[in-house]
Amino acid sequence: MVTGEIKNKIDQIWDTFFVAGITNPITVLEQMTYIFFMKMLDDKQLQEEENARDWDSEVQNPTFLEGQLWVNPDAVSDEERAGVPYENLRWHVFKNFGADNMFKIVRQSVFEFIKHIGTGEESAYSRYMKSAIFLIPNARTLAKVIDGVDALDMNNRDAMGDVYEYILGKMAASGTNGQFRTPRHIIRMIVEMMKPTPQDYICDPAMGSAGFLVEAVKYIKENYETAMYVGEAAHHIKTSMINGYDTDQTMLRIGAMNLLLHDISAPELAWRDSLSEQNDDQSCYTLIMANPPFAGSLDKGNVNKNILAYANTSKTELLFLAQFVRSLELGGRCASIVPDGVLFGTSKAHVAIRKEIVDHQQLRAVISMPSGVFKPYAGVSTAVLVFTKTNCGGTDKVWFYDMKADGFSLDDKRSEIKDNDIPDIVNRFHNLKGEESRSRKEQSFLVPVEEIRNNDYDLSINKYKEIEREKVVYDSVETLLARLNKSETEYVKGYRQLVSMLEGKTPDGQG
């Protein structure tokens, strides 16, 4: 979670862009990301150089080549064709140039360098960076932005994630591109539940800034360290393992940069509407993790007919679930955030998609999350659906969990608190046999599939949860009347004593 100090520093950088006339929030995010990327590339190599010195070795495949010149492949002038020392492209070097020289080197060389960074013409990064434009207008603005970014400590946190966490939130608050934001601790929970492996083909068909994809890569690095360096496995991880789509080229650029910083050099990213006819994905992924947009409807005429076969609707939240079923391989797994309405909606399409997942696939879990999880940017109640594609059913008992706390307060401030159900959710999900004995009065429990069918495939936890009500024993009428009579007698006695005192008489009536 972003600290107050980071918020203040990012706000100052944000204000610098606004003063310079860059007021579109998505443009601010994009330009800030370029600057962050420049710094993180250098920070990464500085760390590699330090490690190499410690081990008396050399940096493997350095981004910045020592003692050599970089020549822009698109150079048109003699000055550009002459090249620039790689050293001058490094953050810790150019940040110390004067404002005018720094502006010139960053605009003409550093920015062009990150557009052409050596990842191959066919990489997603190269493909989407081709259309990138440097929009910081003058040396003064760039100098202030560089100073602001340099003041941030990026060494011990996912700095990109911190920026997206806060700036995407600012955009959501202004009604712009808020759909791209999913809290990173919720993403991490889902990734830890699904346990991605180096053999998976992972997809997020609504990738935004690639939060799910990056977190999957981090999980694999933590749990399969050697796979990142072993022949075919390493090649698969850096290329075909990661797949993502979005309809916004800016977010594709940001997602590609985010993945590149995590050593994913050539992921399969595409500018694509996942619900349209142009998406021919079918039975090709082993794992889907997503938070698809669910705030509107589409023109059904533009929706892929194969998706409509699962749920004939224009509601995006139902169409994406249908697409997930369609694009998974047999045995493939899916964990998707959905609005609560998907769980209990009564329309034909709502019931149809739930029936598809319960009867024809294998529904494994429904985790209900409190509405405050997405505050302060949205108050919608959501859940996580987890299922496996089988095309022949297999749902036996469905695990329900009622998340009450996620480690942060559920108000707009979202302050860190001790109460956190996420570790319990992950642990229990991986030990469902231990849930057999849980009662419906507890926070998690199993529900037989027949009971779900008998309830018209309703998947809301309140349909099955038993609420323990404390038995209240009321006094008998006789007891209440006796108590009332006693109270009345005491009242009348007190009243008479007061009247006597006001008339100057003693309580026995003497003057």
Side-chain angles (χ1 to χ4, degrees), residues 3 35 44 108 117 165 186 241 320 343 358 430 436:
T3 66
I35 302 300
K44 183 179 178 183
Q108 295 183 0
I117 204 165
E165 184 84 18
I186 299 298
M241 183 181 80
F320 267 101
L343 306 180
V358 171
H430 293 303
E436 294 279 359

Side-chain angles (χ1 to χ4, degrees), residues 277-292:
E277 291 286 354
Q278 64 177 298
N279 185 3
D280 57 1
D281 284 352
Q282 187 165 344
S283 302
C284 52
Y285 304 117
T286 62
L287 177 59
I288 290 176
M289 296 179 290
N291 179 16

Side-chain angles (χ1 to χ4, degrees), residues 161-285:
D162 286 332
V163 173
Y164 300 150
E165 184 84 18
Y166 186 52
I167 297 183
L168 290 175
K170 288 169 74 81
M171 292 194 294
S174 63
T176 307
N177 293 311
Q179 68 271 26
F180 296 121
R181 179 190 176 273
T182 306
R184 280 183 297 141
H185 62 289
I186 299 298
I187 292 175
R188 183 68 184 184
M189 175 190 79
I190 291 173
V191 169
E192 290 181 349
M193 289 173 62
M194 304 312 290
K195 290 185 173 180
T197 73
Q199 290 75 43
D200 274 316
Y201 287 82
I202 305 169
C203 182
D204 182 350
M207 60 172 274
S209 57
F212 278 103
L213 301 176
V214 166
E215 208 59 50
V217 171
K218 289 167 66 176
Y219 181 89
I220 290 172
K221 281 186 175 182
E222 292 164 8
N223 293 275
Y224 303 91
E225 185 176 356
T226 58
M228 297 296 297
Y229 309 102
V230 177
E232 291 184 8
H235 179 73
H236 170 61
I237 290 170
K238 295 181 179 183
T239 57
S240 54
M241 183 181 80
I242 297 298
N243 301 264
Y245 313 132
D246 208 282
T247 55
D248 189 310
Q249 293 225 25
T250 297
M251 298 312 293
L252 284 166
R253 279 196 291 273
I254 291 170
M257 281 189 284
N258 204 359
L259 286 162
L260 186 61
L261 287 168
H262 290 84
D263 298 320
I264 307 302
S265 55
E268 297 288 341
L269 307 183
W271 180 40
R272 178 187 299 174
D273 180 350
S274 294
L275 301 178
S276 70
E277 291 286 354
Q278 64 177 298
N279 185 3
D280 57 1
D281 284 352
Q282 187 165 344
S283 302
C284 52
Y285 304 117

Side-chain angles (χ1 to χ4, degrees), residues 433-451:
K433 286 185 178 180
E435 299 293 288
E436 294 279 359
S437 60
R438 302 269 287 180
S439 123
R440 299 284 181 91
K441 297 175 182 178
E442 298 185 78
Q443 206 166 346
S444 64
F445 49 83
L446 292 167
V447 176
V449 67
E450 284 303 325
E451 187 175 346

Side-chain angles (χ1 to χ4, degrees), residues 46-340:
L46 286 171
Q47 184 62 53
E48 291 171 347
E49 288 169 348
E50 183 178 338
N51 293 340
R53 284 193 297 271
D54 291 342
W55 292 95
D56 193 23
S57 61
E58 295 183 357
V59 175
Q60 299 297 313
N61 301 316
T63 301
F64 305 97
L65 304 178
E66 186 176 355
Q68 297 188 36
L69 296 177
W70 177 75
V71 178
N72 185 349
D74 298 331
V76 291
S77 68
D78 290 339
E79 181 183 2
E80 290 174 332
R81 282 192 285 267
V84 59
Y86 274 96
E87 190 72 10
N88 288 358
L89 305 177
R90 302 188 66 169
W91 179 280
H92 75 277
V93 175
F94 70 68
K95 75 172 185 177
N96 295 315
F97 292 172
D100 290 335
N101 286 337
M102 180 169 62
F103 182 66
K104 180 180 178 181
I105 191 76
V106 170
R107 182 180 62 178
Q108 295 183 0
S109 300
V110 182
F111 182 69
E112 293 301 317
F113 173 70
I114 69 169
K115 286 176 65 173
H116 294 88
I117 204 165
T119 55
E121 291 185 2
E122 296 305 315
S123 76
Y125 177 82
S126 299
R127 190 159 59 246
Y128 295 112
M129 282 300 290
K130 284 179 181 178
S131 58
I133 302 174
F134 187 72
L135 294 175
I136 296 177
N138 53 59
R140 177 179 172 80
T141 299
L142 178 64
K144 292 185 70 174
V145 170
I146 294 289
D147 287 345
V149 171
D150 199 56
L152 294 173
D153 177 14
M154 299 184 183
N155 294 322
N156 298 318
R157 61 171 60 89
D158 182 355
M160 284 293 196
D162 286 332
V163 173
Y164 300 150
E165 184 84 18
Y166 186 52
I167 297 183
L168 290 175
K170 288 169 74 81
M171 292 194 294
S174 63
T176 307
N177 293 311
Q179 68 271 26
F180 296 121
R181 179 190 176 273
T182 306
R184 280 183 297 141
H185 62 289
I186 299 298
I187 292 175
R188 183 68 184 184
M189 175 190 79
I190 291 173
V191 169
E192 290 181 349
M193 289 173 62
M194 304 312 290
K195 290 185 173 180
T197 73
Q199 290 75 43
D200 274 316
Y201 287 82
I202 305 169
C203 182
D204 182 350
M207 60 172 274
S209 57
F212 278 103
L213 301 176
V214 166
E215 208 59 50
V217 171
K218 289 167 66 176
Y219 181 89
I220 290 172
K221 281 186 175 182
E222 292 164 8
N223 293 275
Y224 303 91
E225 185 176 356
T226 58
M228 297 296 297
Y229 309 102
V230 177
E232 291 184 8
H235 179 73
H236 170 61
I237 290 170
K238 295 181 179 183
T239 57
S240 54
M241 183 181 80
I242 297 298
N243 301 264
Y245 313 132
D246 208 282
T247 55
D248 189 310
Q249 293 225 25
T250 297
M251 298 312 293
L252 284 166
R253 279 196 291 273
I254 291 170
M257 281 189 284
N258 204 359
L259 286 162
L260 186 61
L261 287 168
H262 290 84
D263 298 320
I264 307 302
S265 55
E268 297 288 341
L269 307 183
W271 180 40
R272 178 187 299 174
D273 180 350
S274 294
L275 301 178
S276 70
E277 291 286 354
Q278 64 177 298
N279 185 3
D280 57 1
D281 284 352
Q282 187 165 344
S283 302
C284 52
Y285 304 117
T286 62
L287 177 59
I288 290 176
M289 296 179 290
N291 179 16
F294 43 75
S297 299
L298 299 176
D299 179 358
K300 284 203 298 186
N302 295 327
V303 178
N304 192 305
K305 302 301 184 291
N306 292 310
I307 299 175
L308 293 175
Y310 288 97
N312 191 5
T313 180
S314 60
K315 292 187 175 296
T316 55
E317 59 267 36
L318 304 181
L319 293 169
F320 267 101
L321 279 176
Q323 173 58 20
F324 297 163
V325 173
R326 175 175 176 253
S327 58
L328 281 173
E329 288 184 358
L330 285 178
R333 302 159 294 141
C334 175
S336 176
I337 297 173
V338 297
D340 269 5

